[in-house]
Amino acid sequence: MTSDAQGGGVLELRLRLAAATVPLDRVAFAEVEVAAVGGAETVSARLNLIEGDLEVEVTEPDGRVARATWPWPADSAPRSVALAAGERLVAAVPLVSEGSEPLFPVTGRYEVVARFAVRPGETLTSNTAVLVRTAGEDAALAADLRDRDVVQSLLGAGVIGAAEPALERLAESEDAGTAAAARLALARTDALAEAAADPAVSRAVAALLPPGATGNDERREAITSRAAPRDVAMLSGRPVEDRTDAAVED
């Protein structure tokens, strides 16, 4: 979780789940942050699943270890960011798939841990979080989230293949994060912007359109301009003053 840092301080990698229990008819999200504790540090800015510096491992109920991954390979140059003493870099990540296969195929107890290549040759490991996946209340939505085209559409933030009918259903989910993920893929920017003050919406957009990895995007910008102050850091990729709150607020 911690590492002696080159600037004389300590770096910490923290993992927080958006919710400890998530039904299979909803998308699960987490937040990952790297904090400079005690001294200024320069770290990788690629705190996302797309570019490869961040890895999220999930131990399934049967003991198999899976990795939360994007369906497509990434090819990007290294990027870094300077953290002042007492600052952190925070990001949201989607816990959706291993490649194009569902990351959580069955109900049960899953252990989740993050690893981040904070600099060449130096990797931090986070705390372990426990995520319980329960049976979904809506079997049709749970089935939609196991569909390959839907998985790729959510992670690609656009409609792929024959996913549109399922995305339309998911866009009406009672879960704000799931609905936001589907609306992002359907390019419903106005609906996203109207709900931008909801941390679950900002988290979903930051997770699926991570700053730096996906370039300029008017959908993310529409959310950033209306998001709550604590969520702007995830959406912008800018460091923010550190804090050690124990839970993510929905």
Side-chain angles (χ1 to χ4, degrees):
M1 186 188 309
T2 63
S3 171
D4 292 337
Q6 294 177 354
V10 172
L11 290 172
E12 292 184 352
L13 185 66
R14 306 166 186 158
L15 170 70
R16 298 188 180 107
L17 300 175
T21 301
V22 181
L24 288 175
D25 59 356
R26 299 183 176 191
V27 178
F29 294 95
E31 291 183 14
V32 179
E33 57 187 46
V34 57
V37 181
E41 295 294 336
T42 297
V43 301
S44 170
R46 305 197 307 177
L47 192 60
N48 59 76
L49 295 181
I50 297 178
E51 295 179 282
D53 285 358
L54 177 68
E55 297 182 354
V56 176
E57 290 187 352
V58 174
T59 302
E60 299 184 354
D62 63 1
R64 188 181 81 90
V65 176
R67 286 179 55 197
T69 57
W70 231 256
W72 311 280
D75 183 14
S76 63
R79 294 180 292 109
S80 61
V81 62
L83 299 179
E87 284 191 332
R88 61 180 175 147
L89 182 66
V90 60
V93 293
L95 303 179
V96 174
S97 76
E98 182 179 31
S100 293
E101 299 299 321
L103 186 62
F104 304 102
V106 297
T107 61
R109 180 183 185 274
Y110 293 80
E111 293 186 351
V112 186
V113 64
R115 293 185 176 85
F116 182 50
V118 68
R119 282 185 286 260
E122 182 179 353
T123 299
L124 299 179
T125 300
S126 75
N127 55 294
T128 298
V130 173
L131 177 61
V132 176
R133 298 305 306 255
T134 58
E137 296 180 4
D138 190 317
L141 293 186
D144 288 338
L145 290 173
R146 293 192 298 270
D147 182 89
R148 182 184 182 90
D149 284 353
V150 173
V151 167
Q152 292 192 343
S153 295
L154 293 176
L155 294 179
V159 179
I160 293 176
E164 187 167 359
L167 293 171
E168 294 283 358
R169 291 189 292 270
L170 289 165
E172 301 305 317
S173 170
E174 294 182 359
D175 177 62
T178 299
R183 291 170 182 172
L184 185 65
L186 293 166
R188 295 184 180 175
T189 305
D190 290 344
L192 289 169
E194 289 175 2
D198 186 334
V201 175
S202 296
R203 184 184 304 122
V205 173
L208 297 167
L209 288 178
T214 53
N216 296 329
D217 194 294
E218 63 180 9
R219 295 168 295 177
R220 186 177 60 239
E221 297 307 315
I223 297 296
T224 303
S225 64
R226 300 189 185 187
R230 75 168 298 277
D231 299 319
V232 171
M234 287 189 298
L235 290 157
S236 67
R238 294 194 296 268
V240 67
E241 183 178 353
D242 189 29
R243 66 177 190 178
T244 56
D245 50 318
V248 172
E249 298 174 359
D250 278 326

